[in-house]
Amino acid sequence: MAANIPNLAQRKFQETEGEREARDAAGFPDVEQSLPRHIGSRFNIPFLDNITSFFGNKNVLAQEVDVKEDVVWLLDNTAYRPVLSDPGGCPPWEAEFVAAYFTRDGGKDVSGWVAEIADRLALGQQGDNRAEEEATIMERLIPFVNTIQPARFVNVRFPNGEIQKLGPGGRNAISSDIVGTMGDHHNGATLEVTAIPPEVAPHGSMLMHFAEPQGWTVVSDIDDSIKITMTMSPIGILRSTFVSTPTPITGMPELYKHINSLLSPSWFYLSASPYNLYTFLRPFLHQYYPKGTVILRDASWMDLSGFLESLTQGTEDYKASRMDKIHNWLPQRKILCVGDSTQSDPEAYGDMYRKHPGWVKAIFIRKVVAVKEMQKTDKNDPARFEKAFKDVPKDVWKLFEDPSELYAAVGSLKTL
């Protein structure tokens, strides 16, 4: 995951014609130009750490995290059994462990940027409690300005006492390790994996979910599929991210609870949001939806302007590449994909159906209506969906506006 870091040039290259037209119509480039791009600096990173970070996880000069100086985010994951050439074998569990490293209290004074965002959202003009909302902006902005800390590794402890080294992190201060032989666990089990010492991970332990080769898996988008984000509007994204209380799409928590009880799936939440939002999105997902692995885009560390680009450029290629990884982990599972019409979910899910025959069993796309930015595009045109789902049987993909429309379709999946 950490080795596949799309920068600005890559996102621009991956941008589809539809994304470019929608971004231009909604004024994304103008808003992005008004936001600070390099709000963090590599000059704040110790010289040796900065240079040796080029070696990634082969960096022999990397240091163990120091609770007085460093902070680690341990990202939830899903353990799987690798596919063997011997169909009768039962391989041990393994999982990808991802961690992100920061300097403790290493962020800048963000008051100027807070005021800039508040002005952009016209908070004072709308009679809002500006002081309270600026405090919310400041809290949510911190992950974008914290200085990353490459060339660090962390030891973690499993419930059985086993200790595993993770890292070190590379240029983006994110480490990715494939770890195996984690003991005997049943399908659907969840373990807590704790940093050593625990205080170095202020957002808590990593949750590891176990998924056997057979069964159902849900791959769900987040923004405007299960959470109100207003991804078609740059101002809407800024407001929903930095000011508003995160709010689920009406009816989606109940639908996912029903899916969970009926199919007992493993869960992946796949979003083009950058990893800066992990500590914002994870509590929201835990509050309203079944727990699972959150896969976000490591595209805008110390870069606020890149946040909007991450959500709206090259999302089809990005999501397809991450679903390829999920397929490598769980190729025999039955996949239910859930997304919406604002971005490239139909195209990405259609790509996966054609690329991995028999893997994707159902696709649900929320048709986002009553949004003025959508009316300027062809994103809800029938021809768009017919093209995206070319060669995908009609009984596999379904459009909906209200989640209540899906209960019968979910019930039919039980027999597959």
Side-chain angles (χ1 to χ4, degrees):
M1 194 173 296
N4 218 345
I5 303 170
N7 56 29
L8 175 61
Q10 287 173 311
R11 292 199 301 268
K12 191 69 176 177
F13 177 76
Q14 294 171 343
E15 182 181 44
T16 65
E17 181 178 354
E19 287 175 334
R20 183 165 51 254
E21 292 176 352
R23 281 171 47 81
D24 289 344
F28 274 87
D30 292 338
V31 174
E32 288 160 359
Q33 289 179 7
S34 72
L35 295 174
R37 181 168 292 280
H38 300 295
I39 57 181
S41 172
R42 287 199 171 269
F43 290 110
N44 297 329
I45 301 171
F47 176 78
L48 184 61
D49 293 337
N50 198 10
I51 295 300
T52 61
S53 67
F54 281 103
F55 294 101
N57 62 5
K58 294 181 173 58
N59 182 3
V60 298
L61 297 179
Q63 303 176 48
E64 185 174 1
V65 291
D66 184 333
V67 70
K68 296 180 180 179
E69 299 180 356
D70 305 316
V71 168
V72 179
W73 294 0
L74 298 177
L75 310 185
D76 298 341
N77 63 8
T78 296
Y80 55 91
R81 296 190 188 275
V83 177
L84 298 179
S85 56
D86 177 11
C90 185
W93 295 101
E94 70 177 38
E96 181 184 40
F97 285 70
V98 178
Y101 307 82
F102 302 91
T103 299
R104 186 176 293 275
D105 301 321
K108 293 184 176 182
D109 177 9
V110 299
S111 57
W113 295 319
V114 168
E116 186 175 333
I117 294 175
D119 289 340
R120 169 63 68 173
L121 298 177
L123 296 184
Q125 300 174 22
Q126 297 178 359
D128 296 329
N129 185 337
R130 178 156 177 147
E132 181 179 339
E133 293 192 321
E134 281 195 356
T136 301
I137 295 173
M138 181 172 294
E139 177 185 353
R140 297 183 187 176
L141 190 61
I142 291 300
F144 288 87
V145 300
N146 277 343
T147 300
I148 61 175
Q149 184 60 285
R152 291 293 183 272
F153 66 88
V154 63
N155 290 311
V156 296
R157 178 179 285 111
F158 290 85
N160 64 2
E162 177 185 346
I163 295 176
Q164 174 70 44
K165 175 186 172 182
L166 303 182
R171 294 294 290 165
N172 266 21
I174 298 176
S175 65
S176 172
D177 300 89
I178 301 297
V179 178
T181 63
M182 292 169 288
D184 187 21
H185 304 283
H186 63 83
N187 182 61
T190 299
L191 296 185
E192 286 194 20
V193 181
T194 306
I196 302 175
E199 294 78 15
V200 79
H203 298 291
S205 302
M206 166 193 295
L207 295 181
M208 182 164 57
H209 310 280
F210 289 79
E212 290 280 7
Q214 307 292 332
W216 279 94
T217 289
V218 176
V219 177
S220 173
D221 177 49
I222 297 175
D223 300 295
D224 290 323
S225 294
I226 62 174
K227 171 189 169 291
I228 296 174
T229 302
M230 300 295 293
T231 50
M232 291 298 295
S233 163
I235 300 302
I237 292 173
L238 292 175
R239 175 171 285 277
S240 66
T241 301
F242 293 109
V243 178
S244 303
T245 300
T247 304
I249 300 294
T250 300
M252 291 304 287
E254 294 79 8
L255 176 68
Y256 276 32
K257 182 178 180 180
H258 178 67
I259 293 173
N260 203 42
S261 65
L262 192 67
L263 302 180
S264 299
S266 58
W267 293 83
F268 288 89
Y269 296 97
L270 174 59
S271 170
S273 293
Y275 268 117
N276 311 63
L277 294 183
Y278 184 79
T279 57
F280 169 66
L281 291 173
R282 186 180 187 247
F284 164 78
L285 293 169
H286 284 191
Q287 180 178 357
Y288 293 104
Y289 296 103
K291 293 178 180 179
T293 296
V294 184
I295 301 177
L296 304 176
R297 206 172 188 178
D298 44 345
S300 64
W301 296 106
M302 303 192 300
D303 185 348
L304 184 57
S305 178
F307 163 52
L308 294 179
E309 296 163 349
S310 174
L311 270 171
T312 56
Q313 284 185 327
T315 60
E316 180 181 346
D317 283 353
Y318 158 73
K319 289 193 173 184
S321 70
R322 294 309 185 263
M323 288 190 69
D324 280 338
K325 177 172 283 190
I326 296 173
H327 178 266
N328 289 338
W329 296 338
L330 300 167
Q332 300 170 14
R333 283 232 156 193
K334 294 175 283 191
I335 305 300
L336 164 59
C337 299
V338 184
D340 65 87
S341 62
T342 63
Q343 299 296 325
S344 300
D345 294 341
E347 288 74 16
Y349 294 159
D351 290 342
M352 288 298 100
Y353 182 91
R354 291 183 290 268
K355 185 174 183 179
H356 303 296
W359 189 53
V360 175
K361 300 297 185 182
I363 301 171
F364 299 156
I365 298 295
R366 177 175 177 256
K367 191 175 177 182
V368 179
V369 296
V371 175
K372 66 177 182 179
E373 288 83 4
M374 290 292 287
Q375 297 169 6
K376 302 176 184 178
T377 73
D378 62 355
K379 288 182 175 291
N380 283 334
D381 285 359
R384 183 257 178 119
F385 299 115
E386 292 292 337
K387 181 179 179 180
F389 296 125
K390 181 182 178 182
D391 299 326
V392 181
K394 295 282 189 179
D395 60 349
V396 169
W397 60 278
K398 182 176 178 61
L399 306 179
F400 70 98
E401 295 181 22
D402 190 303
S404 63
E405 302 168 31
L406 295 177
Y407 280 79
V410 171
S412 68
L413 299 180
K414 184 71 174 177
T415 61
L416 295 182

